[in-house]
Amino acid sequence: MRALRILLIVAVILGGLFVIADRVAVGFAEDEVADRLRTNEGLTTTPDVSIKGFPFLTQVAGGELDDVEVGIKDYDAATGTSGQNIRIDDLNARMRGVEFSGDYSSATAATATGSATITYAELLKAAKATTGSEPTQVVPGVTATVVGLSDGGNGKIKVTVKATVLGKELPQPVSVLSTVTVAGDTVNVKADSLPNLGIQLADGRMRTVTDFQQKIEGLPGGIKLDSVEAAKTGVDITVKGSNVNLAG
């Protein structure tokens, strides 16, 4: 009995040491991947990296991690226009089947899915870049410009327009509900109907003000836009990718 007790005590101690070693190793790996990702993507802050699954050391021995989560608070994505970026908030991605080199200098995920948010303030910049910050002449005597974007409810964006008719600014801005979609690397916002300015306007001319698009390129690791939906504080986007480069 005494020998059995000793054996059990030794087993518990060794098990505890293994857990400690495993957690130390996973912490080191998370820090290494985070630093590599920050360098590769030119991030101003170090992202959060969490390697899931236990034990970690057996995954290392197999050369592949089952599940890795990455969180980036703020990310400046390219827009396809030189010198212009769009800020993406709270980009969170979940990587599956991450193969890596022994020194963590390279890591590639078989698949990735994630989510992020583009605030209405950031999207308004895109509207102004597309339609211009100065009022657009819709027809002779009528000018209009987008002055605000907000949640319209039921997955719609509320687009607020300020207009001038025959030299007189309308006392109140007018608004329309718009549908947001994604096509490839571009977010599209299209009005469901046209704002009522009190006069008959050609559909195409008014849409030069209300409708706009925003290209989003160069997301981390080569992930791509998948879907978009209007939400309370901005547009929620989902992303996905395959053979996503985490490091190296």
Side-chain angles (χ1 to χ4, degrees), residues 140-159:
V142 179
T143 61
T145 186
V146 175
V147 294
L149 301 175
S150 58
D151 179 24
N154 296 319
K156 302 289 185 178
I157 295 178
K158 180 181 178 181
V159 179

Side-chain angles (χ1 to χ4, degrees), residues 36-43 47 70 72 75-77 91 93 95 107-113 217-225 239-248:
R36 298 281 185 178
L37 187 57
R38 180 188 63 183
T39 301
N40 285 0
E41 300 296 337
L43 304 177
V70 176
I72 301 175
Y75 185 82
D76 288 330
L91 176 58
M95 315 290 182
T108 303
T111 61
T113 56
E217 298 179 328
L219 292 174
I223 55 178
K224 302 292 184 181
L225 295 178
V239 296
K240 67 179 181 179
S242 57
N243 297 321
V244 175
N245 185 22
L246 275 172

Side-chain angles (χ1 to χ4, degrees), residues 18-79:
F18 176 78
V19 171
I20 293 172
D22 191 82
R23 294 302 89 191
V24 170
V26 76
F28 171 78
E30 289 170 344
D31 290 344
E32 285 294 308
V33 172
D35 286 341
R36 298 281 185 178
L37 187 57
R38 180 188 63 183
T39 301
N40 285 0
E41 300 296 337
L43 304 177
T44 57
T45 58
T46 302
D48 293 326
V49 175
S50 178
I51 299 174
K52 305 297 182 180
F54 179 84
F56 167 71
L57 291 175
T58 59
Q59 296 182 67
V60 172
E64 181 177 308
L65 304 178
D66 297 331
D67 188 356
V68 178
E69 292 183 358
V70 176
I72 301 175
K73 186 64 177 176
D74 299 307
Y75 185 82
D76 288 330
T79 62

Side-chain angles (χ1 to χ4, degrees), residues 66-114:
D66 297 331
D67 188 356
V68 178
E69 292 183 358
V70 176
I72 301 175
K73 186 64 177 176
D74 299 307
Y75 185 82
D76 288 330
T79 62
T81 301
S82 178
Q84 292 185 7
N85 292 330
I86 186 168
R87 190 181 73 247
I88 296 177
D89 294 341
D90 298 323
L91 176 58
N92 296 289
R94 190 165 193 173
M95 315 290 182
R96 302 281 191 174
V98 180
E99 296 183 350
F100 58 92
S101 61
D103 60 356
Y104 306 106
S105 61
S106 66
T108 303
T111 61
T113 56

Side-chain angles (χ1 to χ4, degrees), residues 134-232:
E134 296 298 320
T136 299
Q137 179 175 284
V138 181
V139 294
V142 179
T143 61
T145 186
V146 175
V147 294
L149 301 175
S150 58
D151 179 24
N154 296 319
K156 302 289 185 178
I157 295 178
K158 180 181 178 181
V159 179
T160 303
V161 177
K162 182 182 290 185
T164 299
V165 179
L166 301 177
K168 294 184 178 181
E169 185 175 297
L170 296 184
Q172 296 293 333
V174 294
S175 61
V176 293
L177 294 179
S178 298
T179 298
V180 58
T181 58
V182 62
D185 59 3
T186 302
V187 175
N188 298 293
V189 178
K190 184 176 182 180
D192 295 349
S193 60
L194 296 180
N196 182 9
L197 301 183
I199 61 174
Q200 188 68 32
L201 295 174
D203 182 278
R205 291 297 299 169
M206 195 61 210
R207 288 193 180 277
T208 62
V209 177
T210 60
D211 299 358
F212 61 93
Q213 58 184 212
Q214 176 62 68
K215 182 174 286 188
I216 300 176
E217 298 179 328
L219 292 174
I223 55 178
K224 302 292 184 181
L225 295 178
D226 184 37
S227 67
V228 292
E229 182 178 4
K232 186 173 182 179

